[in-house]
Amino acid sequence: VFFMFAVLGVTLFGNLCVSGDESLPGLRGVRCFSTPPDRMMEPTAHFKNTLIALLALFRVATGDDWAALMTNAAISEGPRAISDREWGTFTTLLGTDPSQLPSEDAGYIDRFHEYAYRSVAKVAIRQWNASAFGMEGTEGWPAPVAAPAAKAWIGVFASAVPGCLSDDEIYDLAQANLVDCTAEGLFGGGHFGSECVGTCVSTNWVVANAYFDLFVCIASFVLLQ
């Protein structure tokens, strides 16, 4: 039972961010910049490989704060819209208002366009990379203390795409060479090698919750026999 649910868990949740993934060097951590620290899977309880998944399920079976694990596994996208305040922060940091540029200019952004948030997110990563380039391993990475602008740009990115990244959004970043998914991540395993996949739960949150509820019921029955 544990092995079957562990394999299913890797299939459903193997793409989710684990605490520490955001600190991978270069552009490897970008895919997890928008996931809040308290919504990342724990290093000792995640589903990037079957072994750790088995340990996570043992924790669930023993009732050790498994509700938090279930909550993190059901992460979904936040609202996709740039508020006036967020646009103001973005333009202040950038030093210009891209919506005021000629529409044919490469830097032009129609702030009221459906996908304006993606343009803001891409600019934020370019600016973050420019301010923090070559500073891996320094204090505070990926927001080095020596480069305060880097933290601000990560904040802009997280505001533009809060919660997690969909497959389409991370593909868009990959096409612009703004994310590196060639590595498996800090804890290995999982679904992403050379192909980028999103960081949201691959099913809806109802299925994610049902997975844990069903496992708790079955595991309790088995352990009581």
Side-chain angles (χ1 to χ4, degrees):
V1 172
F2 275 74
F3 182 76
M4 179 180 69
F5 271 86
V7 172
L8 180 58
V10 170
T11 301
L12 294 175
F13 313 118
N15 61 308
L16 303 185
C17 292
V18 177
S19 181
D21 281 352
E22 77 284 2
S23 299
L24 291 168
L27 295 173
R28 290 165 58 189
V30 169
R31 66 187 299 275
C32 294
F33 278 3
S34 65
T35 303
D38 62 347
R39 295 303 306 275
M40 291 188 180
M41 304 297 280
E42 299 175 20
T44 56
H46 59 78
F47 293 89
K48 289 198 173 190
N49 61 60
T50 306
L51 176 60
I52 303 298
L54 285 168
L55 295 177
L57 290 176
F58 180 77
R59 168 177 160 178
V60 173
T62 57
D64 181 15
D65 196 25
W66 68 274
L69 184 61
M70 179 177 67
T71 298
N72 291 342
I75 189 169
S76 58
E77 301 172 22
R80 295 302 197 248
I82 303 297
S83 68
D84 290 342
R85 180 178 180 181
E86 290 165 349
W87 183 261
T89 299
F90 170 64
T91 56
T92 298
L93 286 170
L94 192 61
T96 186
D97 186 340
S99 67
Q100 300 302 312
L101 296 173
S103 58
E104 64 273 12
D105 191 291
Y108 171 76
I109 298 176
D110 178 356
R111 63 165 299 194
F112 299 108
H113 190 277
E114 179 183 3
Y115 293 120
Y117 72 90
R118 293 194 185 187
S119 298
V120 170
K122 285 188 279 192
V123 171
I125 293 302
R126 290 192 185 98
Q127 294 295 323
W128 164 79
N129 192 36
S131 61
F133 184 78
M135 301 181 72
E136 293 93 332
T138 61
E139 183 182 358
W141 178 265
V145 174
K151 182 176 181 179
W153 282 114
I154 290 176
V156 170
F157 178 79
S159 295
V161 284
C164 55
L165 296 172
S166 68
D167 287 345
D168 285 344
E169 289 165 352
I170 203 163
Y171 176 79
D172 198 25
L173 289 173
Q175 290 295 103
N177 296 314
L178 294 174
V179 63
D180 179 3
C181 297
T182 57
E184 292 184 330
L186 190 61
F187 299 97
H191 288 187
F192 58 103
S194 58
E195 181 180 355
C196 285
V197 295
T199 57
C200 300
V201 63
S202 57
T203 60
N204 61 58
W205 66 270
V206 174
V207 175
N209 288 351
Y211 167 88
F212 286 94
D213 290 339
L214 181 62
F215 173 75
V216 168
C217 292
I218 295 176
S220 298
F221 177 79
V222 171
L223 293 174
L224 289 174
Q225 298 306 306

